[in-house]
Amino acid sequence: MTELGLSQDQLDMTFETAQEREGVYKPLEKQLSRENKAHLLDLMEQIHQPKLCALQEAIAKGLRDRGFTQVTTPSIISKTFLERMSIDSSHPLNEQVFWLSNKTCLRPMLAPNLYEVSRQLLKLGKTPVRVFEIGSCFRKETEGNAHLKEFTMVNLVEWGLPEEERVSRLKEYAALLMELAQVEDYHLEEEDSVVYGLGLDIVGSNGLELASSSMGPHPLDDLWEIDSSWVGIGSGLERLLMYRERQQGIHRYAKSTAFLDGARLNVK
């Protein structure tokens, strides 16, 4: 029933007898199955694009319109890049990394490659430098309602702004990202990241973290030969969709062969 989109309120209903419960849930299951099938047919005949793809396009266009340059970088990164992010064998995140060899892994975040691309672009001597990437990241996460082993990240960063403008710029870009994602009910909280230090989290009204941010100069910058003030925000798009669509689980919007655009593919 939850795979068909049963709401939390419906899940929380109580009944005095099993017969009473079946009298409510059986018709509800049939209704949800009809709606599930109708959504898939509508997707094939009218929409032709899952919400995850539409969200990627909307965010990419919105950021480009604001002067950010989109980049694409490899999903396979080096151990050296991770170590420059302070993720060595003693770091808690190291246990979540998908290692392909003793020197390479699937990236658990977009930041290492963005650091390297930004390092090269800053050599041009023109600031601010605004870049972003949207791509897959991989972590050995516990399969819960809000986590995926493969998820789609957006990471934006602006280099070379005055340090006194960092907090206001973070708030500006947080508002922009949520506007592009069509998320309205959220607030900002101060948070201390295990990698970047102090930043602002974007948090939904239910307490779900929707995005995290950070700012520099930061001690990590030296390892990338960067000397610049900056702000950055990262967010998982599947989690944004789950929150925006008021769903109980993230898997229905993941890259999947079981779900498509929130609908279950195993139609009965």
Side-chain angles (χ1 to χ4, degrees):
M1 293 284 281
T2 55
E3 290 182 356
L4 289 171
L6 196 70
S7 70
Q8 189 62 50
D9 288 341
Q10 291 168 325
L11 284 170
D12 291 340
M13 289 189 295
T14 58
F15 307 92
E16 292 184 0
T17 66
Q19 184 178 7
E20 182 184 355
R21 181 190 63 206
E22 291 301 302
V24 172
Y25 279 140
K26 282 293 184 183
L28 188 55
E29 183 179 12
K30 291 181 180 179
Q31 175 191 337
L32 291 172
S33 293
R34 289 193 297 269
E35 292 174 357
N36 185 84
K37 184 176 180 179
H39 180 74
L40 288 173
L41 289 171
D42 192 40
L43 182 67
M44 294 172 62
E45 296 170 3
Q46 301 290 333
I47 305 172
H48 306 304
Q49 185 185 50
K51 292 182 178 68
L52 179 61
C53 297
L55 180 58
Q56 290 183 61
E57 288 185 7
I59 290 176
K61 182 180 184 306
L63 291 178
R64 290 195 301 265
D65 288 348
R66 288 295 297 269
F68 283 83
T69 298
Q70 187 170 7
V71 302
T72 56
T73 65
S75 295
I76 299 174
I77 64 173
S78 69
K79 181 180 181 180
T80 301
F81 270 24
L82 268 194
E83 289 174 342
R84 287 187 194 173
M85 299 299 298
S86 78
I87 303 172
D88 55 21
S89 59
S90 65
H91 195 284
L93 188 56
N94 188 69
E95 296 182 1
Q96 295 180 291
V97 174
F98 284 96
W99 290 100
L100 303 178
S101 70
N102 60 357
K103 293 183 178 180
T104 60
C105 65
L106 296 175
R107 62 186 178 190
M109 59 182 70
L110 299 177
N113 287 346
L114 282 180
Y115 254 123
E116 179 61 18
V117 170
S118 299
R119 182 176 74 87
Q120 302 293 349
L121 292 177
L122 285 165
K123 291 179 180 179
L124 296 174
K126 181 175 174 60
T127 57
V129 171
R130 302 185 184 100
V131 294
F132 77 96
E133 181 169 13
I134 299 175
S136 289
C137 294
F138 306 84
R139 295 184 189 179
K140 294 179 181 177
E141 294 276 13
T142 302
E143 289 289 338
N145 285 339
H147 295 91
L148 295 166
K149 287 184 170 64
E150 178 182 358
F151 54 97
T152 310
M153 282 287 296
V154 57
N155 200 165
L156 64 91
V157 61
E158 177 180 357
W159 305 89
L161 73 167
E163 289 194 30
E164 63 273 14
E165 295 181 11
R166 291 177 302 170
V167 174
S168 62
R169 197 66 59 89
L170 272 182
K171 293 179 179 179
E172 176 187 340
Y173 290 149
L176 173 63
L177 182 59
M178 293 299 102
E179 177 186 349
L180 296 173
Q182 298 180 317
V183 171
E184 297 179 353
D185 46 341
Y186 68 90
H187 61 277
L188 302 179
E189 293 182 1
E190 270 197 7
E191 183 62 31
D192 197 11
S193 163
V194 295
V195 173
Y196 298 109
L198 188 64
L200 295 174
D201 279 355
I202 303 174
V203 181
S205 58
N206 61 355
L208 182 69
E209 180 187 313
L210 303 177
S212 59
S213 69
S214 52
M215 65 184 91
H218 188 277
L220 290 179
D221 301 352
D222 293 340
L223 299 174
W224 301 88
E225 300 175 356
I226 291 178
D227 179 17
S228 175
S229 60
W230 59 272
V231 294
I233 297 178
S235 179
L237 300 192
E238 291 87 353
R239 185 178 290 194
L240 279 178
L241 272 179
M242 178 187 71
Y243 179 73
R244 189 187 76 186
E245 301 298 317
R246 295 294 187 263
Q247 294 296 329
Q248 302 304 314
I250 196 171
H251 297 275
R252 60 193 312 110
Y253 292 112
K255 296 172 182 176
S256 172
T257 55
F259 292 95
L260 180 59
D261 196 37
R264 195 175 74 170
L265 283 169
N266 183 17
V267 179
K268 295 181 180 180

